[in-house]
């Protein structure tokens, strides 16, 4: 890599924040929807719809013209959707949901990334929301804008990815399953629905304050007989009596010492031959040869915006940590990026392991 | 452009903020300097130097390894500078000065880009600094962090770009030159030094509060006899008695109506045959066929971060506005991007015009 190529790459990074908000702002201003409804509008007409001066609309649209997302007719001054007109609205909605989450949960907070890395705390969350001593996942309970941007995204993610996860794991007929850090029970519902067998029972394990909502979810989905809830803390004692433990979207939130504590606790809770099935975004072992964007996003996101620590690991790292904690890894699969929509950042992986005898 | 290509481009945009801060944070943590001094340090050693947990250092460095900026030896766990080791420190310093400015002046403020575009005000500056009713250029006087990040950059930019500007314009021997919005006189000093001729006089025209510092600058540079200062407001009355007006780094701060007011005022102030020489970043007429990043940065930067309006224009637009205001354009040159360091965003242009007879 020549010094010129390195510096050119720096320039790509430098325009990252302005590109991000310029694109999102064109959607927020309603300009893209307006052009879908009525192609050919000028900056003056779009300005009226956006409630902004035509000059500002024209400025922000320059980038979208450069990208070929939008086209401008030089004679009429009218804009039309170019590449953006060919993207199914469902795909655009998914991308915009993610962009909005990044804007609300990350953009400002990243200013304090270095201070967050040094203190292991969420300095941005403190500065912008007055939240001290918790994580972003705690803060969503108190702050509606965080919750709206976060929960909307997470519901989409869970709906899209759970079928892939359950398609990749075995749950023996009639097994007793524990969904670790299972939040308000949606994962348990999916587990029951997607791996149904006579005698299968799924228990959500999470903080006691999640119980009421989890039980309500079980009733609403008609699985109150087969799903239950246990309140507790994964760092204290993990309940025994289960054959299979599921750990989804969780290990990436912690540094190694905590991941080891969790996996050790899970190992201790299981009988010999018991299984753990993990879903987590993972880095490829060769960071450089891939279409995997986890590395471009998650370190800063976890350290600076949601946890003050954590981040995914390479597959080989998760494998070695599982072995360190008394497991034998039986399966390690990363989702084929060709199967993931091109705008989606997280590339998930599944690791299955058995408690060594 | 296929829908997949469009969505992939969205993903590039989505990781823009996190990539930007991850890279900058590795420098802020001192990790890069430490590796330059002592290659081969592990995350544990780097964590001690950075004052951060090794886990966080390792997470943030993943991206730099992906980019090939840094290399990690898998056996020792030691890091070395890869591509970053080949970039001259002077170049890195320039890039980091710009990145720091973007972080301080733009990153958080861009959150409010849409609201800024709608109101024509700097909502981010109000939210983060309590500044209402002015521009970022006013706010730098009150806020040291803004000033430090901004002034350091601007001094670099002026030193790098003024020789190119003055090499591209003619100033007749003995001319009387007005440097419009010339701030505290550095441009006037450069004009005198780079275009020296018997009888040449250069006058800085700016708000009256800049006078003392400008006069001090003239003394310090030994040009107190040849340079002077006139206080005033470009939107009210532009002083007469000058043959040549310079307008540098200024027109891009305003929307069309204000640019027209400025150029009309300049035209009125000049005698027939009088000249105006403009330096401004400009968009290429064909937005899509270029290495020009002005469009990726300036619209959001001016509207959301520094002015609440403005942004550069295409060369053809500046040309037509000059003609609309009674000028004949005699020269229009955009700097060859091959002559600009690859990390530098602004691509400047020079427009020279004569007052029509």
């Amino acid at each position: 890599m020549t010094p010129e190529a390195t510096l050119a790459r720096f320039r790509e990074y430098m325009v990252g924040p302005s590109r991000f908000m310029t694109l999102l702002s064109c959607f927020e201003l309603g300009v893209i929807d307006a052009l879908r409804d009525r192609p050919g509008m000028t900056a003056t007409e779009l300005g009226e719809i956006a409630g902004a001066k035509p000059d500002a609309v024209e400025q922000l649209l320059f980038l979208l013209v450069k990208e070929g997302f939008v086209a401008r007719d030089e004679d009429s001054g009218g804009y039309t959707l170019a590449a953006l007109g060919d993207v199914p609205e469902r795909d655009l909605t998914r991308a915009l949901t993610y962009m909005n989450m990044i804007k609300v949960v990350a953009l400002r907070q990243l200013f304090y990334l270095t201070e967050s890395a040094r203190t292991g705390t969420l300095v941005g969350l403190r500065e912008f929301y007055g939240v001290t001593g918790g994580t972003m996942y705690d803060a969503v309970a108190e702050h509606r804008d965080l919750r709206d941007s976060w929960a909307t995204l997470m519901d989409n993610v869970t709906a899209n990815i759970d079928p892939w996860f359950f398609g990749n794991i075995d749950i023996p007929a009639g097994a007793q399953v524990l969904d670790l850090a299972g939040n308000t029970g949606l994962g348990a519902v999916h587990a029951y629905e997607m791996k149904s067998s006579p005698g299968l029972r799924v228990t959500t394990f999470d903080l006691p304050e999640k119980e009421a909502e989890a039980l309500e979810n079980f009733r609403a989905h008609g699985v109150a007989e087969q799903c239950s809830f246990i309140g507790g803390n994964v760092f204290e004692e993990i309940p025994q009596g289960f054959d299979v433990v599921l750990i989804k979207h969780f290990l990436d939130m912690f540094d190694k010492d905590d991941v080891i504590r969790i996996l050790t606790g899970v190992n201790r809770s299981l009988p010999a031959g018991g299984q753990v099935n993990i879903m987590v975004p993972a880095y490829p072992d060769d960071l450089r040869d891939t279409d995997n964007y986890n590395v471009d996003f998650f370190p800063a996101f976890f350290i600076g915006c949601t946890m003050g620590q954590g981040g995914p690991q390479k597959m080989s790292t998760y494998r070695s940590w599982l072995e360190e904690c008394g497991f034998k890894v039986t399966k390690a699969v990363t989702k084929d990026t060709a199967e993931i929509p091109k705008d989606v950042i997280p590339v998930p992986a599944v690791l299955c392991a058995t408690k060594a005898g």
Side-chain angles (χ1 to χ4, degrees), chain A:
Chain A
M1 198 174 190
T2 64
E4 288 70 31
T6 304
L7 291 170
R9 200 69 189 143
F10 270 62
R11 185 176 54 178
E12 289 288 324
Y13 275 46
M14 286 183 203
V15 296
S18 53
R19 274 183 181 162
F20 173 81
M21 272 312 303
T22 301
L23 177 58
L24 183 53
S25 189
C26 287
F27 285 93
E28 290 180 346
L29 287 167
V31 165
I32 308 303
D33 284 343
L35 289 175
R36 183 173 289 111
D37 292 345
R38 192 149 72 82
M41 279 196 280
T42 64
T44 304
E45 294 169 304
L46 291 169
E48 270 178 42
I49 288 168
K53 204 170 167 188
D55 306 63
V57 171
E58 187 176 310
Q59 282 288 332
L60 296 174
L61 282 172
F62 275 125
L63 178 60
L64 278 65
V65 173
K66 178 178 182 179
E67 289 285 1
F69 293 165
V70 166
R72 182 174 185 273
D73 182 86
E74 292 303 321
D75 295 326
S76 68
Y79 295 89
T80 50
L81 296 188
L84 283 184
D86 299 329
V87 179
E89 284 201 56
R90 190 191 44 181
D91 291 331
L92 271 187
T93 300
R94 180 187 58 235
L96 288 169
T97 301
Y98 217 98
M99 289 183 79
N100 183 58
M101 187 283 287
I102 292 172
K103 176 192 164 191
V104 175
V105 175
L107 181 67
R108 292 163 298 168
Q109 291 86 333
L110 285 170
F111 180 87
Y112 297 102
L113 177 59
T114 298
E115 209 177 330
S116 292
R118 285 202 166 118
T119 60
T121 65
L122 295 167
V123 180
L125 206 57
R126 185 188 77 205
E127 292 292 323
F128 301 124
Y129 292 91
V131 171
T132 53
T135 71
M136 203 279 295
Y137 307 97
D138 304 321
V140 295
E142 302 292 324
H143 296 278
R144 171 140 199 178
D145 62 332
L146 291 173
R147 183 166 68 250
D148 285 351
S149 68
W150 180 253
T152 306
L153 178 71
M154 278 299 105
D155 289 350
N156 284 345
V157 167
T158 300
N160 285 324
I161 205 67
D162 267 5
W164 178 76
F165 172 68
F166 287 110
N168 262 290
I169 67 169
D170 284 322
I171 295 187
Q176 307 300 297
V177 178
L178 187 72
D179 187 19
L180 195 83
N183 199 13
T184 55
L186 187 59
V189 172
H190 285 170
Y192 186 78
E193 291 176 348
M194 296 179 195
K195 307 303 277 190
S196 183
S197 69
L200 178 71
R201 286 190 60 87
V202 190
T203 301
T204 297
F205 179 60
D206 210 311
L207 301 176
E209 59 262 37
K210 313 259 186 180
E211 178 161 11
E213 197 178 336
L215 296 180
E216 180 52 39
N217 274 336
F218 298 151
R219 274 190 295 273
H221 286 85
V223 294
E225 296 293 309
Q226 298 85 8
C227 294
S228 58
F229 186 94
I230 297 179
N233 181 328
V234 296
F235 291 110
E236 286 162 12
E237 174 101 41
I238 294 170
Q240 301 196 356
F242 297 90
D243 315 305
V244 176
V245 173
L246 311 179
I247 314 179
K248 292 157 55 193
H249 311 297
F250 190 61
L251 293 186
D252 48 337
M253 294 163 60
F254 302 99
D255 285 342
K256 178 178 180 179
D257 46 6
D258 280 344
V259 175
I260 296 292
R261 283 170 68 197
I262 294 164
L263 293 178
T264 302
V266 169
N267 190 272
R268 194 180 307 126
S269 80
L270 283 170
Q275 296 169 22
V276 62
N277 297 294
I278 295 165
M279 180 161 63
V280 70
Y283 303 142
D285 279 334
D286 181 355
L287 292 170
R288 300 193 62 181
D289 78 345
T290 177
D291 194 33
N292 186 316
Y293 278 59
N294 287 340
V295 158
D296 304 71
F297 182 70
F298 284 117
F301 184 68
F302 279 108
I303 295 169
C305 309
T306 66
M307 290 296 296
Q309 65 162 310
Q313 299 292 340
K314 291 184 182 180
M315 285 296 266
S316 57
T317 303
Y318 280 128
R319 192 185 270 274
S320 77
W321 290 358
L322 278 161
E323 286 165 9
E324 196 178 318
C325 296
F327 287 102
K328 181 177 181 326
V329 176
T330 57
K331 186 174 189 175
V333 185
T334 302
K335 191 164 186 187
D336 183 351
T337 53
E339 294 172 7
I340 301 175
K342 288 296 172 208
D343 55 296
V344 171
I345 296 172
V347 179
V350 168
L351 291 121
C352 304
T354 304
K355 177 170 177 166

